[in-house]
Amino acid sequence: MAAQIKLLLEIPEWIWSSMESAQYLRATQLYLLCCHLHSLLQLESSGSHYSPVLSRFPILVRQVAASGHFRSTILLESKSLLKGRAVSDQAIAEALASIMLLEDSSPRQALADFLLARKASIQQLLNQPHHGSGIKAQVCSLVELLATTLYQAYAVFYTPLEGQLPDPALSSGLLFTTLETGTAPAGKGVKVLNNEMKSGSWFKYLPSSVTDFQPVLRTLARPINQDHLRDTLLQWINMCKEDIKSGISSLLVYVKSLKGLAAIRDAVWELLTSESLSQHWGFVCQRLLEHPLSFWEDFLQQLFLDRLQALTKEGLDGISSSSKQLLVSALQELAARPAPGGQGRAVQFEYDIASFLWSEAPSDLLSDAAWVSVSNRSHLLKSGLSMKAQALTPCIQSFCGSLDSKLKIKLDDLLSYLPPEKNLKDSADPPTGSQLRNSAFDRYADASTVEESLREHCLSCVRYILSCVQSELKAAQDRLQSSSRYSPLDSNLNSVLFMARLCQSMGELCPNLKQCIMGKAGDHVTRETSRIGKKLGKGSSKAPEVNPAQARWQEVREELLKHSMEAYRIWSITVSKALVHRFTLTLHSDTAGSILATATNWEELEIQEETETGNSVTSKIRLPVQPSWYVQSLLFHLCQEVNRVGGHALPKVTQQELLKGFLDELIPAYNELASNKHNKQDSAFPMTQNRSLQLVFDLRYLTMILSARQEEGKTPRTQQDPRIQQVIEALESHIDPFDLDVFTPPLNRNLNRLSQRTSVLLGLLTGTEKMFTSRSTNVNSQEPYNILPLSSSQIRFGLLPLSMSSSQRAKSATRGSEVKKSQRAPVSAPRVEETFRPGNLFRQLASQEEEPAAPSLFKMGWLSSMTK
């Protein structure tokens, strides 16, 4: 008895020592031995019976009371150990064995305890305070915990069936091995006091029931059926999946960039690809679940895509709202036009593009323009001259630059989620089997989805900006229609022009907009398309395939061009109506003073007529050689308005619509005048022959200037507008038919000569094709009029330096004889001095370089590079 009492007093210290070293199975065995000693010594007292040992040894009363707390403490610590991630398989098995011995539970209950502890550990991970980079560590810890749980479930609970070959590198059935060792009958297992009996001689006085004690389970610990193990694990995975999705979704809310998302994804990929987790993963999943399990595809991928789309939408919505604010701010600055010479010089340029074109700035030429050719320069670099050549004002550049910089930030952020540039070509191909074996999952499998998300949100951003432009255009158009006065300084009209130029240039000045819509391979597709286009130009009959992203980009450009054309149309209609309204008031003025005030110079011609007797009679006639002042003023103001808005950069369609709209507005004005004079012969100032002749001259001159330009490759129109012909016939009805026959030939010559004289002054209206005539038409001309000398080569710079290559010298030498032959016409042969006139050599070289098409100064490489 003394030995048993001594052992009873020693056991608590051994239990605490085992607890401190996390040997919970050893602590459980000692606790159960303590309970066995209590029963041997009859220390359990009841209400009717009191133990005689306790009466003799009062110290045992406290020991019995203290031993009652061991069970709850061991259970608490064992279940707490089950929640740990860095716990060995053997420690898990021993902790579960302790719980089973203390609670008399079955292996199935132990499996449930293990999975519940791991679920609690998952909840604890998800509910930790999260900030900054800690989210990546939390997600990785969660993935590691899930993977470790399955590995330990295999190691602790799985027992292979008969005929199944276990993996020699993996242990299995540790729980049953541990239970078998700790609860085996005497002589087969390890005794509880095996080590202690070697350290003291008094142990020999203990009875065999104490020295040979081993805990016993009330129920037999049968191995868990594999179907039950599979179903339980699948149920636990599905139960955890919902918690993980909601928890990680809450965590990812604190990730504010796609670069951060990519860092978390890459960290998960590196963790799952590590040898410790990936080496036996497929084997364990096949044994436990009978199918592979991918944490990324089944748990995380969709969560990351949802967050990516939310971040993309949030970013582009912010760009949309900021672009709207920028547009409204720019229009407000245009409305509050600063005084000339003030601080808002950029706003003044919006009112007068010509002042912007002829102003000098340090950025007009790039710093390396003298030694870097156009082919070697980035297409993103734009010089100030190229901006002026396209009439892109500083306000337009500022707006597009701001939009492009924001899109670039978003695009750079997105590129971190996509494959690296060097692997871009390989990412288009599916990964091979060896790549899949070496990788836990394909990190870039959703690259196309990511690019499509950016494309859709970027298209929504563009549509939103265009809707804002559309609403501003509608408001400006309403204000213009309600206003009875027109002024080039009208802020509404200049706002319309600003939005027209903005939509026209957004596609070119925002290269990152194209990149967002075209995707990461946009440049490659563009280069491939241009290469195919060159092949087609050489005679290939196969049409190039249209890339879907390229088609979307083309739709965006067409939508931008549509809004630009609509804005230009508002401007052209407003200008046409306003200028023609003033013109109509002067045209319909019937007072003699107003008619004399608008009269211009007439010429006096001598003509010879043959009488009935055959004699020749000389007579003098007077014909108009200039249009009326109000006609000249109308055309000059129209040309001035076109020049003010940058007419050289206006779309050809807009120019043609402007001229056509002007002509459509003028015809009713002349038609009304002709019909009124025809129906009211007794008016205050009747229609005289001279006035009719001047009106016919004016109308025909307006028709020549404002007629639509012929497009390249199309024959010129020979049929006149029937409305104009009707008005001219009505006006010619006031002229004597005999006089009209006499006046018509010299009148036509006057019209042609006037058109040539004014072709440069009104060049923005007439176009370059009307500025030049063939020299052969004037070879035999004896008219003493000083018509503007026109060059057939269209070269206006006569004193530019030239350097000829050897090939060009050879060309000039072989063609010299032909040039000399063409210059030997008897009437127009040039004098020897003319060959030394400034610019003559340049004109000859330019005419030699250009075969069928009109020569251009910008064929010269050094000069074209200056304007890029």
Side-chain angles (χ1 to χ4, degrees), residues 322-339:
S322 63
S323 299
K324 179 182 179 180
Q325 295 175 0
L326 196 61
L327 176 64
V328 173
S329 175
L331 296 179
Q332 289 175 352
E333 290 180 2
L334 286 175
R337 179 172 182 257

PDB file of all heavy atoms in Angstrom, residues 322-339:
ATOM      1  N   SER A 322     -13.777  60.975 -63.836  1.00  0.00           N
ATOM      2  CA  SER A 322     -12.768  62.033 -63.914  1.00  0.00           C
ATOM      3  C   SER A 322     -12.714  62.639 -65.317  1.00  0.00           C
ATOM      4  O   SER A 322     -12.495  63.846 -65.469  1.00  0.00           O
ATOM      5  CB  SER A 322     -11.396  61.489 -63.519  1.00  0.00           C
ATOM      6  OG  SER A 322     -10.966  60.489 -64.421  1.00  0.00           O
ATOM      7  N   SER A 323     -12.919  61.802 -66.348  1.00  0.00           N
ATOM      8  CA  SER A 323     -12.943  62.326 -67.715  1.00  0.00           C
ATOM      9  C   SER A 323     -14.141  63.244 -67.923  1.00  0.00           C
ATOM     10  O   SER A 323     -14.028  64.275 -68.602  1.00  0.00           O
ATOM     11  CB  SER A 323     -12.982  61.175 -68.724  1.00  0.00           C
ATOM     12  OG  SER A 323     -11.834  60.364 -68.604  1.00  0.00           O
ATOM     13  N   LYS A 324     -15.270  62.896 -67.338  1.00  0.00           N
ATOM     14  CA  LYS A 324     -16.436  63.771 -67.434  1.00  0.00           C
ATOM     15  C   LYS A 324     -16.167  65.109 -66.750  1.00  0.00           C
ATOM     16  O   LYS A 324     -16.486  66.177 -67.290  1.00  0.00           O
ATOM     17  CB  LYS A 324     -17.651  63.090 -66.800  1.00  0.00           C
ATOM     18  CG  LYS A 324     -18.903  63.948 -66.836  1.00  0.00           C
ATOM     19  CD  LYS A 324     -20.080  63.273 -66.163  1.00  0.00           C
ATOM     20  CE  LYS A 324     -21.315  64.177 -66.192  1.00  0.00           C
ATOM     21  NZ  LYS A 324     -22.484  63.532 -65.540  1.00  0.00           N
ATOM     22  N   GLN A 325     -15.558  65.051 -65.561  1.00  0.00           N
ATOM     23  CA  GLN A 325     -15.219  66.289 -64.867  1.00  0.00           C
ATOM     24  C   GLN A 325     -14.227  67.115 -65.676  1.00  0.00           C
ATOM     25  O   GLN A 325     -14.337  68.349 -65.748  1.00  0.00           O
ATOM     26  CB  GLN A 325     -14.652  65.970 -63.491  1.00  0.00           C
ATOM     27  CG  GLN A 325     -15.643  65.315 -62.541  1.00  0.00           C
ATOM     28  CD  GLN A 325     -15.000  64.896 -61.234  1.00  0.00           C
ATOM     29  OE1 GLN A 325     -13.809  65.091 -61.025  1.00  0.00           O
ATOM     30  NE2 GLN A 325     -15.791  64.305 -60.349  1.00  0.00           N
ATOM     31  N   LEU A 326     -13.273  66.430 -66.294  1.00  0.00           N
ATOM     32  CA  LEU A 326     -12.292  67.144 -67.114  1.00  0.00           C
ATOM     33  C   LEU A 326     -12.954  67.777 -68.330  1.00  0.00           C
ATOM     34  O   LEU A 326     -12.614  68.910 -68.711  1.00  0.00           O
ATOM     35  CB  LEU A 326     -11.203  66.166 -67.550  1.00  0.00           C
ATOM     36  CG  LEU A 326      -9.898  66.761 -68.093  1.00  0.00           C
ATOM     37  CD1 LEU A 326      -9.224  67.626 -67.040  1.00  0.00           C
ATOM     38  CD2 LEU A 326      -8.961  65.650 -68.530  1.00  0.00           C
ATOM     39  N   LEU A 327     -13.907  67.071 -68.929  1.00  0.00           N
ATOM     40  CA  LEU A 327     -14.628  67.623 -70.077  1.00  0.00           C
ATOM     41  C   LEU A 327     -15.454  68.836 -69.673  1.00  0.00           C
ATOM     42  O   LEU A 327     -15.423  69.884 -70.348  1.00  0.00           O
ATOM     43  CB  LEU A 327     -15.524  66.537 -70.687  1.00  0.00           C
ATOM     44  CG  LEU A 327     -16.425  66.965 -71.846  1.00  0.00           C
ATOM     45  CD1 LEU A 327     -15.586  67.404 -73.043  1.00  0.00           C
ATOM     46  CD2 LEU A 327     -17.368  65.839 -72.240  1.00  0.00           C
ATOM     47  N   VAL A 328     -16.180  68.710 -68.574  1.00  0.00           N
ATOM     48  CA  VAL A 328     -16.994  69.837 -68.098  1.00  0.00           C
ATOM     49  C   VAL A 328     -16.109  71.031 -67.742  1.00  0.00           C
ATOM     50  O   VAL A 328     -16.424  72.183 -68.060  1.00  0.00           O
ATOM     51  CB  VAL A 328     -17.839  69.395 -66.882  1.00  0.00           C
ATOM     52  CG1 VAL A 328     -18.562  70.584 -66.269  1.00  0.00           C
ATOM     53  CG2 VAL A 328     -18.847  68.322 -67.302  1.00  0.00           C
ATOM     54  N   SER A 329     -14.972  70.744 -67.108  1.00  0.00           N
ATOM     55  CA  SER A 329     -14.050  71.819 -66.739  1.00  0.00           C
ATOM     56  C   SER A 329     -13.495  72.519 -67.980  1.00  0.00           C
ATOM     57  O   SER A 329     -13.400  73.762 -68.020  1.00  0.00           O
ATOM     58  CB  SER A 329     -12.908  71.251 -65.887  1.00  0.00           C
ATOM     59  OG  SER A 329     -11.942  72.231 -65.609  1.00  0.00           O
ATOM     60  N   ALA A 330     -13.134  71.744 -69.000  1.00  0.00           N
ATOM     61  CA  ALA A 330     -12.614  72.340 -70.233  1.00  0.00           C
ATOM     62  C   ALA A 330     -13.671  73.199 -70.917  1.00  0.00           C
ATOM     63  O   ALA A 330     -13.381  74.299 -71.417  1.00  0.00           O
ATOM     64  CB  ALA A 330     -12.124  71.237 -71.175  1.00  0.00           C
ATOM     65  N   LEU A 331     -14.914  72.711 -70.937  1.00  0.00           N
ATOM     66  CA  LEU A 331     -15.988  73.496 -71.563  1.00  0.00           C
ATOM     67  C   LEU A 331     -16.286  74.763 -70.770  1.00  0.00           C
ATOM     68  O   LEU A 331     -16.630  75.808 -71.343  1.00  0.00           O
ATOM     69  CB  LEU A 331     -17.242  72.632 -71.695  1.00  0.00           C
ATOM     70  CG  LEU A 331     -17.122  71.416 -72.630  1.00  0.00           C
ATOM     71  CD1 LEU A 331     -18.414  70.637 -72.664  1.00  0.00           C
ATOM     72  CD2 LEU A 331     -16.731  71.861 -74.036  1.00  0.00           C
ATOM     73  N   GLN A 332     -16.170  74.685 -69.446  1.00  0.00           N
ATOM     74  CA  GLN A 332     -16.366  75.884 -68.631  1.00  0.00           C
ATOM     75  C   GLN A 332     -15.265  76.904 -68.886  1.00  0.00           C
ATOM     76  O   GLN A 332     -15.517  78.111 -68.916  1.00  0.00           O
ATOM     77  CB  GLN A 332     -16.409  75.498 -67.155  1.00  0.00           C
ATOM     78  CG  GLN A 332     -17.676  74.749 -66.748  1.00  0.00           C
ATOM     79  CD  GLN A 332     -17.631  74.288 -65.304  1.00  0.00           C
ATOM     80  OE1 GLN A 332     -16.600  74.382 -64.633  1.00  0.00           O
ATOM     81  NE2 GLN A 332     -18.761  73.795 -64.808  1.00  0.00           N
ATOM     82  N   GLU A 333     -14.031  76.432 -69.065  1.00  0.00           N
ATOM     83  CA  GLU A 333     -12.948  77.354 -69.387  1.00  0.00           C
ATOM     84  C   GLU A 333     -13.163  77.997 -70.752  1.00  0.00           C
ATOM     85  O   GLU A 333     -12.842  79.176 -70.949  1.00  0.00           O
ATOM     86  CB  GLU A 333     -11.614  76.610 -69.373  1.00  0.00           C
ATOM     87  CG  GLU A 333     -11.161  76.184 -67.983  1.00  0.00           C
ATOM     88  CD  GLU A 333      -9.828  75.461 -68.019  1.00  0.00           C
ATOM     89  OE1 GLU A 333      -9.263  75.333 -69.121  1.00  0.00           O
ATOM     90  OE2 GLU A 333      -9.353  75.036 -66.951  1.00  0.00           O
ATOM     91  N   LEU A 334     -13.710  77.225 -71.692  1.00  0.00           N
ATOM     92  CA  LEU A 334     -14.017  77.811 -72.993  1.00  0.00           C
ATOM     93  C   LEU A 334     -15.137  78.839 -72.888  1.00  0.00           C
ATOM     94  O   LEU A 334     -15.123  79.855 -73.592  1.00  0.00           O
ATOM     95  CB  LEU A 334     -14.422  76.713 -73.976  1.00  0.00           C
ATOM     96  CG  LEU A 334     -13.297  75.821 -74.514  1.00  0.00           C
ATOM     97  CD1 LEU A 334     -13.876  74.713 -75.379  1.00  0.00           C
ATOM     98  CD2 LEU A 334     -12.308  76.638 -75.314  1.00  0.00           C
ATOM     99  N   ALA A 335     -16.092  78.573 -72.015  1.00  0.00           N
ATOM    100  CA  ALA A 335     -17.198  79.524 -71.848  1.00  0.00           C
ATOM    101  C   ALA A 335     -16.710  80.830 -71.233  1.00  0.00           C
ATOM    102  O   ALA A 335     -17.173  81.914 -71.606  1.00  0.00           O
ATOM    103  CB  ALA A 335     -18.298  78.905 -70.990  1.00  0.00           C
ATOM    104  N   ALA A 336     -15.771  80.735 -70.302  1.00  0.00           N
ATOM    105  CA  ALA A 336     -15.213  81.931 -69.666  1.00  0.00           C
ATOM    106  C   ALA A 336     -13.908  82.287 -70.361  1.00  0.00           C
ATOM    107  O   ALA A 336     -12.821  82.188 -69.796  1.00  0.00           O
ATOM    108  CB  ALA A 336     -14.995  81.692 -68.177  1.00  0.00           C
ATOM    109  N   ARG A 337     -14.001  82.687 -71.627  1.00  0.00           N
ATOM    110  CA  ARG A 337     -12.802  82.947 -72.445  1.00  0.00           C
ATOM    111  C   ARG A 337     -12.008  84.096 -71.851  1.00  0.00           C
ATOM    112  O   ARG A 337     -12.540  85.203 -71.647  1.00  0.00           O
ATOM    113  CB  ARG A 337     -13.220  83.286 -73.869  1.00  0.00           C
ATOM    114  CG  ARG A 337     -12.060  83.601 -74.800  1.00  0.00           C
ATOM    115  CD  ARG A 337     -12.545  83.739 -76.225  1.00  0.00           C
ATOM    116  NE  ARG A 337     -11.426  84.004 -77.126  1.00  0.00           N
ATOM    117  CZ  ARG A 337     -11.141  85.206 -77.621  1.00  0.00           C
ATOM    118  NH1 ARG A 337     -11.899  86.235 -77.278  1.00  0.00           N
ATOM    119  NH2 ARG A 337     -10.129  85.373 -78.438  1.00  0.00           N
ATOM    120  N   PRO A 338     -10.717  83.893 -71.556  1.00  0.00           N
ATOM    121  CA  PRO A 338      -9.914  84.975 -70.986  1.00  0.00           C
ATOM    122  C   PRO A 338      -9.619  86.053 -72.019  1.00  0.00           C
ATOM    123  O   PRO A 338      -9.719  85.840 -73.225  1.00  0.00           O
ATOM    124  CB  PRO A 338      -8.632  84.255 -70.540  1.00  0.00           C
ATOM    125  CG  PRO A 338      -8.531  83.086 -71.451  1.00  0.00           C
ATOM    126  CD  PRO A 338      -9.952  82.665 -71.732  1.00  0.00           C
ATOM    127  N   ALA A 339      -9.245  87.197 -71.519  1.00  0.00           N
ATOM    128  CA  ALA A 339      -8.920  88.305 -72.401  1.00  0.00           C
ATOM    129  C   ALA A 339      -7.622  88.018 -73.140  1.00  0.00           C
ATOM    130  O   ALA A 339      -6.762  87.292 -72.644  1.00  0.00           O
ATOM    131  CB  ALA A 339      -8.783  89.594 -71.591  1.00  0.00           C
TER     132      ALA A 339
END
